[in-house]
Amino acid sequence: MEAEQGTLAFDGQSCSFSGIDAAARRAAGGLRHLGIRGDDSVAIILRNDIPYFIVHEAAHYLGFDAVPVNWHLKPAEIDFILTDCKAKVVIIHSDLLTQELAGVIRRVPVIVVTTPAGILDSYGITGDGDHGEPGFLDWADWIEKSPELENPEKKFRPPMFYTSGSSGRPKAVLRKNVTPEIGAQVSARTRFAWGFDRTPIRSVMTGPLYHSAPNGYGNMVLQSGGLLVLTARFSAEGLLALIERYEITHLHLVPTMFVRLLDLPDDIRSRYRLDSLIHVTHGAARCPVDVKRNMIDWWGNVIYEYYAMTETGIITCCSSAEWLECAGTVGRPAPGVEIEIRAENGNRRGPFEEGLICVRHEGTHCISYLNAEEQVEDLHQNGFLVTGDIGYLDEAGYLFVSSRQSDMVISGGVNIYPAEIEAELLAMDGVIDCVVFGIPDPEYGEKPVAVIEKKGPLSGADVSTYLKTRLANFKLPTAYEFVDRLPREDSGKIKKQRIKKEYLEKYDY
């Protein structure tokens, strides 16, 4: 065990939470000098690094919206987010600053963080980008010269995350009129689900900070006075080594990570001590029953699960013992959460009857979307929030999630909306119409595929090359199938579920 509590350890260095807080006050002062005021937006295009936490803390002091941006996105996708949230400043790692992206973001002040060597090595990057753009600020120099914010008053300001859009465009989740009391209740429920009522907390940051769950998890570790070991990217054996080295107690994982851990040879699995673990939580995607059972067999009854949304936060949680008694469940409602299963007409369903999963807690009425108010009406129903998932409750109140009302694909814990891919495909010459849907994948849970009605010669390579310039790589379909005509209803609507069913049967899924 090498690092103290209340510390962020990364790339051979460490920074205390008090040090992050002091840097945050300077960052807040510097951002105010750049014209940032309360309710403005600051975009963060960073890999996992210490400045991420500094900017988040600065948001609590200055009152701006920190907007984490997935750095896998293409410049046009990033441009949409920056325009939608009206970002006034962009903070970006130097290796991510391509010439094309620089042209997108230079319309506002840009602060460039030199990418640490450990990140460059982890991703096999030989160059660190062109960060000598005229007018761009250097993070280290800028924060050193920035004065501390005068008379700082710290208030909770959650980041503003963009979710993939069911209509083809991402949308930012807003939380309006969140009182300190509501914030405290949401925080207490999250701490309970993640095992943070058991201290000390020593954890490894396994996921990217641009996702809401890893972001919230990492920040809560630090705010709880715990140790957080930051990693550039996930490595199965690397994680085992860190657990032993730092005597890790808490982890946040996704099922894909379980799969990669279980794929390790027995001699590597047995090489490391893991007895320090007390609470390993997972979420973001459905976990295959055999995968979870094998993880419990290996690590013991330290595996916990939760079901949540970016919009709502924690909905249910489940211990290993509960899951072993009720395999396949995502748990019972977390403290303060109500769950109802409803039919399409809004009527409440009984035990074991499938329907829409609807939830309510003290903060669900605060949820909205930036620049997408028309979608908020579909979100709320008779005081409850509609998750878009289909499931049922058993007689003991355990929730089972069986499918989704929406077409969303969850691949490796990442949400992918087919409508966004379909919109890009329909703009391509030679594509008459198309459908995109998810199929099972043993490692990632699901992966997207596309069935395309075409005219003229068109190949999967042609389509892939086209989409690569418009969509982040993780959104690209893994397979393409071409047909002369897609089946349709009399109304002209494509029979998407029939196409998916026939595809799964054809390839024996």
Side-chain angles (χ1 to χ4, degrees):
M1 185 168 68
E2 301 181 8
E4 300 297 324
Q5 296 298 113
T7 298
L8 178 63
F10 179 59
D11 199 21
Q13 302 178 343
S14 64
C15 181
S16 68
F17 185 69
S18 61
I20 291 172
D21 193 61
R25 293 194 297 271
R26 292 198 302 275
L31 289 168
R32 172 164 286 179
H33 181 72
L34 291 175
I36 297 298
R37 297 293 183 269
D39 295 330
D40 284 338
S41 295
V42 174
I44 309 172
I45 312 176
L46 296 174
R47 301 179 190 269
N48 286 5
D49 197 0
I50 292 173
Y52 230 123
F53 296 91
I54 294 173
V55 178
H56 281 197
E57 290 303 306
H60 299 325
Y61 282 117
L62 203 53
F64 63 84
D65 287 316
V67 183
V69 179
N70 185 335
W71 48 264
H72 288 98
L73 300 180
K74 297 298 170 67
E77 296 172 296
I78 292 175
D79 188 30
F80 171 82
I81 291 174
L82 301 185
T83 301
D84 188 65
C85 73
K86 298 178 182 177
K88 299 289 181 65
V89 170
V90 172
I91 301 173
I92 185 171
H93 264 139
S94 56
D95 75 287
L96 300 174
L97 190 55
T98 63
Q99 194 171 30
E100 185 180 1
L101 185 54
V104 167
I105 66 178
R106 65 161 52 96
R107 61 178 180 264
V108 299
V110 177
I111 305 172
V112 182
V113 179
T114 299
T115 308
I119 293 179
L120 296 176
D121 291 343
S122 179
Y123 284 92
I125 299 170
T126 55
D128 66 348
D130 179 12
H131 50 97
E133 290 278 338
F136 286 8
L137 300 170
D138 175 75
W139 167 269
D141 180 65
W142 171 78
I143 202 165
E144 181 181 349
K145 294 178 180 177
S146 293
E148 281 197 14
L149 186 68
E150 294 182 3
N151 303 316
E153 182 182 356
K154 201 170 188 179
K155 296 181 179 179
F156 178 66
R157 185 77 175 190
M160 187 166 71
F161 290 97
Y162 272 78
T163 68
S164 297
S166 57
S167 61
R169 286 292 193 181
K171 54 189 182 295
V173 177
L174 295 180
R175 293 173 176 83
K176 297 182 176 180
N177 305 315
V178 178
T179 65
E181 292 75 20
I182 290 175
Q185 288 172 290
V186 172
S187 178
R189 179 164 50 249
T190 306
R191 292 180 63 82
F192 172 78
W194 288 345
F196 288 172
D197 53 342
R198 304 165 71 184
T199 57
I201 301 167
R202 305 176 65 84
S203 187
V204 178
M205 187 76 263
T206 57
L209 288 164
Y210 56 71
H211 280 313
S212 58
N215 188 298
Y217 192 91
N219 277 285
M220 189 168 278
V221 169
L222 290 178
Q223 290 160 6
S224 301
L227 164 70
L228 182 65
V229 181
L230 198 58
T231 59
R233 64 191 308 185
F234 177 77
S235 159
E237 185 177 0
L239 175 62
L240 298 184
L242 290 173
I243 293 171
E244 178 180 271
R245 176 180 174 183
Y246 291 99
E247 298 181 7
I248 296 302
T249 59
H250 293 66
L251 285 173
H252 182 284
L253 303 174
V254 296
T256 297
M257 296 174 182
F258 285 167
V259 172
R260 294 181 181 179
L261 285 161
L262 291 166
D263 281 343
L264 292 172
D266 289 342
D267 63 319
I268 292 180
R269 285 209 233 170
S270 61
R271 189 177 300 168
Y272 301 96
R273 287 192 59 182
L274 309 176
D275 55 353
S276 59
L277 292 172
I278 62 174
H279 196 108
V280 178
T281 189
H282 73 92
R286 293 170 66 185
C287 186
V289 169
D290 59 334
V291 170
K292 183 158 181 177
R293 197 181 302 278
N294 288 337
M295 282 301 300
I296 294 173
D297 287 344
W298 178 15
W299 285 10
N301 282 10
V302 300
I303 308 293
Y304 294 77
E305 184 170 0
Y306 70 91
Y307 167 63
M309 295 174 62
T310 299
E311 289 86 343
T312 64
I314 301 294
I315 297 173
T316 68
C317 43
C318 181
S319 68
S320 290
E322 289 176 306
W323 188 88
L324 289 170
E325 288 290 325
C326 201
T329 184
V330 293
R332 286 194 281 195
V337 176
E338 298 176 70
I339 299 176
E340 286 189 0
I341 306 299
R342 294 181 176 177
E344 290 283 355
N345 61 8
N347 291 340
R348 189 171 180 176
R349 310 299 299 269
F352 300 103
E353 293 182 332
E354 282 195 345
L356 286 169
I357 300 172
C358 302
V359 303
R360 179 170 65 185
H361 59 60
E362 67 287 326
T364 46
H365 70 282
C366 303
I367 306 303
S368 185
Y369 294 124
L370 179 68
N371 303 325
E373 293 294 333
E374 71 284 354
Q375 296 187 39
V376 176
E377 294 182 10
D378 296 332
L379 196 65
H380 296 282
Q381 184 186 96
N382 299 326
F384 280 70
L385 186 142
V386 182
T387 65
D389 288 336
I390 304 294
Y392 65 88
L393 292 166
D394 70 9
E395 291 178 334
Y398 284 100
L399 178 67
F400 292 78
V401 182
S402 50
S403 62
R404 283 184 296 277
Q405 182 188 37
S406 70
D407 295 327
M408 183 174 67
V409 178
I410 303 180
S411 183
V414 178
N415 295 348
I416 301 171
Y417 274 88
E420 185 178 4
I421 305 169
E422 291 166 353
E424 294 293 347
L425 282 171
L426 290 172
M428 182 180 182
D429 290 339
V431 174
I432 299 174
D433 217 331
C434 63
V435 291
V436 176
F437 50 84
I439 60 173
D441 182 80
E443 181 176 8
Y444 290 94
E446 290 183 298
K447 58 185 179 181
V449 300
V451 179
I452 298 171
E453 182 179 327
K454 67 170 186 173
K455 60 178 178 180
L458 198 63
S459 69
D462 295 332
V463 178
S464 180
T465 299
Y466 174 84
L467 289 180
K468 281 179 180 178
T469 65
R470 291 160 173 79
L471 294 173
N473 291 345
F474 70 85
K475 300 177 185 177
L476 299 181
T478 56
Y480 301 93
E481 185 153 303
F482 298 93
V483 297
D484 293 329
R485 188 178 299 278
L486 291 169
R488 299 175 184 274
E489 307 284 356
D490 291 340
S491 63
K493 184 179 179 180
I494 295 174
K495 296 180 178 180
K496 190 167 190 173
Q497 292 307 312
R498 171 182 154 184
I499 296 169
K500 179 176 179 178
K501 180 175 182 293
E502 290 176 350
Y503 187 98
L504 294 174
E505 291 173 349
K506 178 178 180 181
Y507 294 103
D508 198 25
Y509 280 99

